Amino acid sequence: MTKQFNLPRGTADIFPDDATRWQDIEAKARNLFALYGFREIRTPLFEETELFARSMGQTSDVVQKQMLNLAAQGEGGESSGFSLRPEGTASVVRAYVQNSLDKKESRSKFFYVGPMFRGERPQKGRLRQFHQIGAEVIGPGTTSPFLDAEMIELAVHLLTKSGVKALTVKINSLGTPEDKKNFSAVLRQALEPYTKELCADCQSRLSRNVFRVLDCKKKTCQAVVDRLPLKYDHLSPESRDYFDKVKEALRMREVAFVEEPRLVRGLDYYTHTVFEISSSSLGSQDALGAGGRYNNLVQELGGHEVDAVGFALGIERIILATEGETGKEPVGLDAFIVPLGEAAMKEAFGLLPTLRNAGIAVDISYRWDASLKSQMRQADKTGAKAVLILGENELAMKSVAVKDMASGDQEVIPFAQLVGYLTKK
Ligand code: AMP
């Protein structure tokens, strides 16, 4: 037997019955983004590998272990090679810098919807190709606790609009880059006595990037982290004031949240506000989405001093957290044509565009040489409201026999009146 192919591990086929739910979530997101003044950006699915290494941090887990690299396709040796995008922010910022958008608009509000790729070990809720709905606000001098709070509120709004009920918003502040340095020193000191209890990865993280110890999923490491007396001592008074204002703004918009001093997010680019939204209805992969402020990334990627804040939500996780919710019923066929004989097929072939141009959803059995019975069976399976039978007699009368599939009634309708007859139905 010839080899059959299976889909790659960690990916999924989304068939039409499920696609309606995806369309539903995406349509709701698009509507909401428009209400908040966001416009869509579409960037390539792959970029220079170095872009991701520079933005997410060379030592991040994603860059170290999960990049899906493409076979070297660099031109003239100028590129470090390409990788499928593991997230959206790096590409959006690359596009922002490349097009000098800071000179063209005071503030850019982008949203995106699309696939992301990470070479992870697949499990429930964790795929190698997954999909995100994300948003970024980028612009000089746009650091505002109101904006940070509004981004969190928007993420929550998107999730609740999609039907997610039980969700938890965790927030934290990393402060300025200076505060972050203090925080890493405090953390390193606090973790030092427990070095031996940490996994090998975390032991090397201690010197390379101590924040990632807090993100480690291993039970032993989490037990150590749970014992750390983390507070907000590393924050400067200004950063603390900023964080207080974010919380106040969240209360004003009635967004429930919990403060989580252990929430650091594994990526280098975050400053000030970080947040994560999870759902108790998900299993071990309980994060629905996450984000935060990243004021240094634009500069890091060759741009000017420009502030930014953003988030990304996982569509598969939204679907898992709202199991049972279905999308809108797809619009079915209004009619299905059954031609009997080649001359009827030719006539019907010309009729199709006339009907479709009039807004009638119509399909046809191309098997004009098959029996009426077998073509009717095919028509029945499509769920079309009416079947248009075109046999020799009908052809001679320049008419079709229209069978109403619900009532079983049949009427002969001249070609010239067909559009009017079907639109009335
Ligand atoms: P992250 O940038 O890793 O925080 O991802 C943001 C969101 O995307 C997560 O909260 C998940 O909802 C989703 N996500 C991330 N990685 C995966 C994955 N491998 N499979 C499915 N969803 C994912």
Side-chain angles (χ1 to χ4, degrees):
M1 271 253 282
T2 317
K3 171 186 160 118
Q4 282 192 3
F5 292 92
N6 292 327
L7 86 176
R9 246 160 60 81
T11 66
D13 297 314
I14 299 155
F15 286 98
D17 281 350
D18 294 328
T20 57
R21 176 72 182 125
W22 284 73
Q23 287 159 5
D24 186 42
I25 292 170
E26 289 168 12
K28 283 179 175 146
R30 284 171 196 283
N31 281 339
L32 217 49
F33 279 131
L35 292 177
Y36 283 71
F38 284 80
R39 296 189 308 152
E40 182 172 9
I41 184 164
R42 298 186 187 205
T43 61
L45 299 195
F46 65 92
E47 299 269 0
E48 276 190 68
T49 306
E50 197 185 336
L51 170 70
F52 302 120
R54 202 96 76 73
S55 68
M56 303 178 86
Q58 187 65 54
T59 61
S60 64
D61 275 2
V62 173
V63 171
Q64 291 224 316
K65 300 183 195 158
Q66 299 166 357
M67 294 291 266
L68 288 176
N69 299 322
L70 301 178
Q73 296 283 347
E75 283 160 26
E78 68 181 13
S79 140
S80 59
F82 295 105
S83 297
L84 291 174
R85 61 179 189 191
E87 53 121 51
T89 303
S91 305
V92 173
V93 173
R94 196 261 316 131
Y96 182 92
V97 172
Q98 189 175 357
N99 293 282
S100 308
L101 290 188
D102 56 329
K103 302 224 171 55
K104 296 179 188 149
E105 44 194 42
S106 64
R107 196 182 58 179
S108 307
K109 293 176 85 169
F110 296 121
F111 79 87
Y112 58 84
V113 178
M116 305 294 159
F117 307 85
R118 293 185 196 173
E120 309 207 61
R121 198 167 48 78
Q123 53 176 280
K124 189 169 185 204
R126 190 192 279 177
L127 293 146
R128 289 185 160 177
Q129 176 176 332
F130 58 99
H131 298 75
Q132 286 184 337
I133 295 173
E136 320 282 356
V137 179
I138 314 175
T142 52
T143 295
S144 157
F146 290 107
L147 175 56
D148 292 13
E150 183 147 83
M151 290 299 271
I152 298 173
E153 189 266 352
L154 171 57
V156 170
H157 202 163
L158 285 162
L159 291 167
T160 50
K161 265 256 174 270
S162 296
V164 178
K165 295 208 171 67
L167 53 78
T168 306
V169 179
K170 290 179 219 145
I171 62 166
N172 192 20
S173 173
L174 303 172
T176 59
E178 194 59 32
D179 297 335
K180 239 176 133 173
K181 255 190 232 142
N182 291 339
F183 191 22
S184 77
V186 170
L187 261 181
R188 206 167 287 132
Q189 213 175 11
L191 284 166
E192 207 84 81
Y194 306 106
T195 310
K196 290 217 176 71
E197 294 173 44
L198 297 173
C199 71
D201 271 351
C202 282
Q203 290 188 9
S204 79
R205 283 173 185 144
L206 268 183
S207 55
R208 282 186 303 138
N209 189 334
V210 67
F211 292 124
R212 302 219 166 90
V213 178
L214 304 199
D215 280 339
C216 185
K217 295 277 176 280
K218 300 229 170 64
K219 284 222 163 62
T220 44
C221 300
Q222 283 184 351
V224 170
V225 170
D226 281 345
R227 270 181 274 158
L228 298 181
L230 292 179
K231 288 203 283 292
Y232 290 101
D233 301 342
H234 59 281
L235 292 180
S236 65
E238 292 78 25
S239 296
R240 213 181 284 211
D241 182 50
Y242 186 92
F243 190 38
D244 285 340
K245 291 199 165 107
V246 172
K247 290 184 272 181
E248 189 190 335
L250 282 173
R251 287 188 200 104
M252 284 166 70
R253 296 287 279 269
E254 298 183 351
V255 177
F257 61 87
V258 287
E259 287 177 56
E260 176 48 89
R262 281 167 300 189
L263 176 69
V264 287
R265 311 276 303 125
L267 307 181
D268 278 354
Y269 54 58
Y270 288 111
T271 49
H272 286 290
T273 317
V274 286
F275 66 97
E276 199 171 278
I277 307 176
S278 55
S279 167
S280 55
S281 57
L282 294 173
S284 59
Q285 304 298 319
D286 66 349
L288 289 161
R293 176 159 287 288
Y294 53 94
N295 282 352
N296 300 309
L297 185 59
V298 177
Q299 240 181 334
E300 191 60 38
L301 296 181
H304 295 114
E305 227 183 288
V306 173
D307 307 341
V309 59
F311 66 77
L313 309 174
I315 301 184
E316 284 85 353
R317 302 269 174 95
I318 297 176
I319 291 173
L320 278 174
T322 54
E323 251 166 10
E325 297 245 355
T326 50
K328 270 206 204 93
E329 278 285 304
V331 180
L333 284 177
D334 296 311
F336 189 88
I337 307 184
V338 166
L340 300 166
E342 192 171 4
M345 176 70 215
K346 283 184 178 157
E347 186 66 43
F349 197 63
L351 215 53
L352 285 167
T354 313
L355 298 179
R356 288 174 180 152
N357 288 340
I360 295 162
V362 58
D363 203 354
I364 187 167
S365 152
Y366 300 95
R367 297 176 45 216
W368 49 265
D369 51 350
S371 69
L372 173 64
K373 200 168 154 200
S374 88
Q375 289 198 61
M376 284 307 285
R377 224 180 293 129
Q378 193 187 350
D380 203 33
K381 278 193 192 143
T382 66
K385 290 190 207 109
V387 178
L388 315 185
I389 303 161
L390 195 52
E392 267 176 35
N393 290 345
E394 287 82 9
L395 205 54
M397 292 189 291
K398 294 205 169 309
S399 302
V400 288
V402 181
K403 179 169 179 175
D404 183 314
M405 294 302 274
S407 64
D409 297 344
Q410 197 162 310
E411 264 184 90
V412 175
I413 309 293
F415 291 156
Q417 291 166 25
L418 195 55
V419 167
Y421 180 82
L422 289 172
T423 19
K424 251 199 308 36
K425 264 185 162 282

